[in-house]
Amino acid sequence: EAAEVIERVAKVLGKGVKELCARGGGIERAIVMECLHRYAQQSQAEIGRRMGGVDYTWVSRMRGELRRMMQGSEGVRKLFEKVEAAILTHE
């Protein structure tokens, strides 16, 4: 479920759910968006509504930026892997 995915991401990142879902940019929001797409089967439009009413094209851009950052930064990749592990193991 989407709310559960967001809660797990927030816990790993040490952020509040409201903070992660508020409008704005940042790698942490991109991680939430990617996880919602992968693990809650949310469409980009659904993710946009959940993430403060942003357009699906913004969701697409943020997810693309996250993928680029994971390729170029071991730290970002490891952070995403840590979040992913928490979702997959239901921590």
Side-chain angles (χ1 to χ4, degrees):
E1 182 196 333
E4 194 174 316
V5 167
I6 295 171
E7 287 172 15
R8 289 202 180 115
V9 174
K11 183 178 177 182
V12 172
L13 298 178
K15 301 281 183 176
V17 169
K18 286 185 179 183
E19 181 183 357
L20 286 176
C21 293
R23 280 179 165 259
I27 191 67
E28 293 165 335
R29 278 179 50 96
I31 289 173
V32 173
M33 292 176 186
E34 185 64 25
C35 289
L36 285 171
H37 184 74
R38 288 187 188 194
Y39 301 107
Q41 292 74 48
Q42 298 274 292
S43 71
Q44 293 190 148
E46 291 169 323
I47 294 167
R49 284 191 293 274
R50 189 174 290 275
M51 301 299 288
V54 297
D55 189 75
Y56 74 93
T57 58
W58 177 253
V59 175
S60 178
R61 281 196 302 272
M62 292 294 290
R63 290 180 59 226
E65 182 65 23
L66 174 64
R67 287 189 296 276
R68 283 187 292 281
M69 289 182 78
M70 284 195 297
Q71 289 176 342
S73 168
E74 185 177 351
V76 172
R77 190 180 74 252
K78 286 188 176 195
L79 179 61
F80 184 80
E81 289 170 356
K82 183 177 178 182
V83 169
E84 202 171 38
I87 292 168
L88 294 173
T89 59
H90 304 287
E91 288 180 6

